[in-house]
Amino acid sequence: MSLNCEEIELILSEEPLEGMKIQNIFQPSYDAIVLELYGRGNRLFYLISIAHNACRIHPLTAPPAKNERPLRFMECLRSRIKGGTIIHAEQISKDRIIKIEITKADEKGSPAKLFLYARLWSGAGNVLLVSEEGIIIDALRRLPSRQEISGAAFALPAPRDAASQSAKPYTIRDLQGPGPFWQRIEHFYSEHTGQLSRDALIAQVREIFSRKYSSLENRLSALSAKQNEYQQAKRFRQIGDILIGGYAVEMQGTKTFARALDFYENREILIEIEPSATPAQNAARYYEKYHKAKTGIDDIAAELDRCRASMSQLKTWLSKLEAEPDPIVIAQALRKGGAARTKEKMRFPCQHIEYKGWTILIGKSGKENDEILRHIARGSDLWLHARDYSGSYVFIRAIKNKSFPPEVIQTAARLAIYYSKARKNLGGDVHTTYVKNLRRAKDGPVGLVIPYLEKNIYISFTEAQIKDILDESLSGEEIEQ
């Protein structure tokens, strides 16, 4: 529950702000500021909070917690009103809007006025710094819909009439405890707002858990389906042998099938085929599936283990935060995981995928290519680029004592064509060489290189193959604890 107008009046009378000098300003959270004041022989910390269901203004018995990093509104107030003096403070029309008039010498030494307005409306609160000309300098919450942004004209809401005020009288809460009312209010909120804040944070934690866990479940389902398919490796080879032996074409709806004798199981079967392909080409498709499944079964098992481990870590993360009583610790955990105000640091400065245990980087601009070449790529990494077409540089990161598998090189080559102007051709030639064989183009654009000792690969693909590549690659979603 936020302070009502009568409680605000009482607090302002118990500890008046008039005549107090502003020594410093703190911003312990995104929805509160604290003025460090000195006057009448005492130092005083005055809190102004616009937290939902806890909008209030009152002194503090102890200094506030300091934020780990400087915040925008706090820095603005420090530059504008630190060192100033409060010459008047009042609640306007008992409407829970506090107007604090501040005077401070300007650059020329002349006194200049600034106004700090605090609107203590639950769900619509704000704190604004306003110039003497009535222009908003900055706001704790920037609200374009209310025109509460830097440079906008400040306007007070219309005051309530006497009839509406008398229709809903407010009383001062009878709070138990020693000291003046503001101390009892401080004690009340210190006991209750922590839980309110914790409940909101836990709701955010559960939403993040639900979203990430659902993503991992979908990934696990896709990997399990792929594992079941790969476990049929031997059968793919048998189907290829059957198709080589000849078949009769049969249509069923929009699909084309080969009706052939399965000489492995001595029965007649239907096999889905490409209608425009020859028997040898259709057999080759199943032989390719055989080799892919044979070499990929171990990689799929490793990815399944990693996915299950991530799900277990995520459950542990949720349990740990649900058992944490301190909302500050929960908020810090959310910030660490990139869920709050900080942005998670990127592993690479470009798009990347993990494919069968190999990392493939895709630089989509000269700046990204240059960043990869300068800070990421090593001489033993493999570089690929569409021949005669502009497009992305693709890199396969080398693994010590391992040679690049043909399937991984072909996959990277398909991506090089896919992310180039040759994409519409569904195929083309690709240059490939080691990074150590690249030379920067003299006076050329950023990121441009000239390859030496390169080899040429011709590759073709379908949109379905690219989708399979991206589906099989690891999502890269890490669970931080």
Side-chain angles (χ1 to χ4, degrees):
M1 179 178 177
S2 300
L3 291 181
N4 64 46
C5 58
E6 298 297 338
E7 292 171 336
I8 291 171
E9 286 284 302
L10 177 57
I11 289 172
L12 290 177
S13 67
E14 287 181 335
E15 283 291 349
L17 289 166
E18 286 85 351
M20 303 294 281
K21 191 174 182 64
I22 301 172
Q23 301 281 78
N24 209 344
I25 300 96
F26 303 100
Q27 190 173 345
S29 65
Y30 70 93
D31 55 8
I33 63 167
V34 176
L35 303 178
E36 181 184 351
L37 307 173
Y38 186 82
R40 300 185 291 273
N42 294 313
R43 186 174 70 155
L44 188 67
F45 293 96
Y46 232 101
L47 170 75
I48 302 174
S49 173
I50 58 170
H52 184 65
N53 284 333
C55 291
R56 61 199 191 276
I57 179 170
H58 59 77
L60 300 174
T61 54
K66 294 181 181 180
N67 203 291
E68 295 177 356
R69 57 194 177 92
L71 299 178
R72 170 188 53 81
F73 192 58
M74 176 184 74
E75 291 300 303
C76 174
L77 293 182
R78 284 179 175 177
S79 68
R80 297 295 189 119
I81 66 173
K82 183 178 177 180
T85 301
I86 299 174
I87 58 175
H88 185 66
E90 64 173 337
Q91 179 182 194
I92 299 175
S93 303
K94 288 199 172 184
D95 204 17
R96 292 177 295 154
I97 299 175
I98 291 90
K99 177 184 178 182
I100 302 173
E101 186 176 341
I102 302 162
T103 182
K104 181 185 176 183
D106 59 18
E107 295 176 352
K108 298 179 180 179
S110 302
K113 285 185 181 179
L114 291 168
F115 298 91
L116 196 64
Y117 287 90
R119 186 175 64 239
L120 305 183
W121 296 355
S122 187
N126 207 354
V127 181
L128 302 104
L129 182 64
V130 180
S131 69
E132 189 173 7
E133 295 74 28
I135 302 301
I136 297 173
I137 297 171
D138 206 350
L140 181 58
R141 295 175 63 207
R142 290 177 174 171
L143 302 173
S145 60
R146 285 180 171 267
Q147 287 299 303
E148 293 180 354
I149 55 175
S150 299
F154 174 74
L156 281 169
R160 297 179 299 170
D161 56 37
S164 65
Q165 292 188 40
S166 60
K168 189 177 181 181
Y170 292 96
T171 59
I172 296 171
R173 280 172 278 182
D174 184 17
L175 301 175
Q176 301 301 313
F181 180 72
W182 70 259
Q183 286 187 352
R184 285 176 274 147
I185 277 289
E186 181 192 19
H187 180 70
F188 172 82
Y189 282 111
S190 66
E191 284 189 337
H192 293 83
T193 56
Q195 184 59 41
L196 291 171
S197 176
R198 183 185 179 280
D199 291 344
L201 289 168
I202 288 297
Q204 185 180 0
V205 166
R206 288 171 178 161
E207 188 277 328
I208 293 169
F209 170 83
S210 177
R211 173 168 48 82
K212 290 190 174 183
Y213 198 82
S214 176
S215 174
L216 288 169
E217 282 184 323
N218 292 338
R219 180 66 183 151
L220 185 67
S221 176
L223 288 171
S224 298
K226 187 66 66 174
Q227 185 183 49
N228 292 335
E229 179 184 327
Y230 280 8
Q231 286 171 344
Q232 304 176 37
K234 182 179 178 182
R235 186 57 178 165
F236 289 142
R237 187 190 64 187
Q238 291 178 351
I239 291 174
D241 294 342
I242 293 167
L243 291 173
I244 287 290
Y247 53 80
V249 177
E250 184 174 311
M251 295 292 296
Q252 290 190 9
T254 59
K255 294 185 177 180
T256 305
F257 293 89
R259 183 176 291 277
L261 173 65
D262 181 354
F263 43 78
Y264 288 99
E265 299 181 2
N266 196 28
R267 63 187 179 92
E268 195 173 69
I269 60 171
L270 287 176
I271 305 167
E272 188 174 354
I273 59 171
E274 288 286 343
S276 59
T278 66
Q281 290 171 332
N282 276 315
R285 288 178 60 245
Y286 281 92
Y287 287 141
E288 183 180 352
K289 284 187 176 184
Y290 162 70
H291 290 294
K292 186 176 182 180
K294 186 178 178 181
T295 58
I297 190 70
D298 292 337
D299 294 328
I300 287 292
E303 291 182 28
L304 279 166
D305 288 343
R306 176 175 172 173
C307 188
R308 293 189 184 103
S310 294
M311 295 172 77
S312 177
Q313 289 173 359
L314 189 57
K315 287 181 179 178
T316 302
W317 178 79
L318 175 65
S319 299
K320 181 179 177 182
L321 292 186
E322 284 184 329
E324 175 57 56
D326 189 346
I328 294 177
V329 174
I330 299 171
Q332 288 174 343
L334 289 174
R335 284 197 294 269
K336 182 180 178 182
R341 297 164 68 89
T342 56
K343 189 175 180 180
E344 186 178 357
K345 185 178 180 181
M346 294 176 62
R347 183 183 172 197
F348 296 110
C350 62
Q351 180 182 346
H352 68 280
I353 65 173
E354 300 292 331
Y355 186 79
K356 299 191 179 302
W358 294 80
T359 301
I360 300 175
L361 309 179
I362 305 166
K364 293 186 176 179
S365 68
K367 184 178 179 181
E368 286 188 2
N369 293 333
D370 189 62
E371 184 71 16
I372 295 169
L373 289 165
R374 286 182 181 274
H375 303 294
I376 306 296
R378 297 162 296 191
S380 56
D381 294 346
L382 202 62
W383 171 88
L384 303 96
H385 183 257
R387 181 179 176 181
D388 299 328
Y389 287 91
S390 60
S392 297
Y393 286 176
V394 177
F395 301 82
I396 309 174
R397 303 205 76 195
I399 299 176
K400 189 174 181 179
N401 298 326
K402 283 192 176 183
S403 58
F404 297 102
E407 183 183 355
V408 175
I409 295 175
Q410 291 170 4
T411 295
R414 288 189 174 100
L415 292 172
I417 294 292
Y418 184 76
Y419 291 110
S420 77
K421 296 293 186 180
R423 177 175 177 172
K424 62 181 180 295
N425 301 332
L426 299 180
D429 291 291
V430 176
H431 283 311
T432 176
T433 190
Y434 292 107
V435 169
K436 64 185 177 183
N437 296 327
L438 300 176
R439 300 291 180 270
R440 294 185 182 278
K442 187 176 181 180
D443 300 325
V446 172
L448 181 64
V449 294
I450 299 172
Y452 294 89
L453 303 177
E454 71 271 22
K455 295 181 180 179
N456 192 83
I457 301 173
Y458 179 81
I459 200 74
S460 62
F461 63 87
T462 64
E463 293 287 344
Q465 283 178 312
I466 297 297
K467 183 178 183 300
D468 286 344
I469 291 168
L470 299 178
D471 286 346
E472 286 185 28
S473 65
L474 292 177
S475 65
E477 186 170 26
E478 301 292 339
I479 306 302
E480 294 198 28
Q481 297 191 60

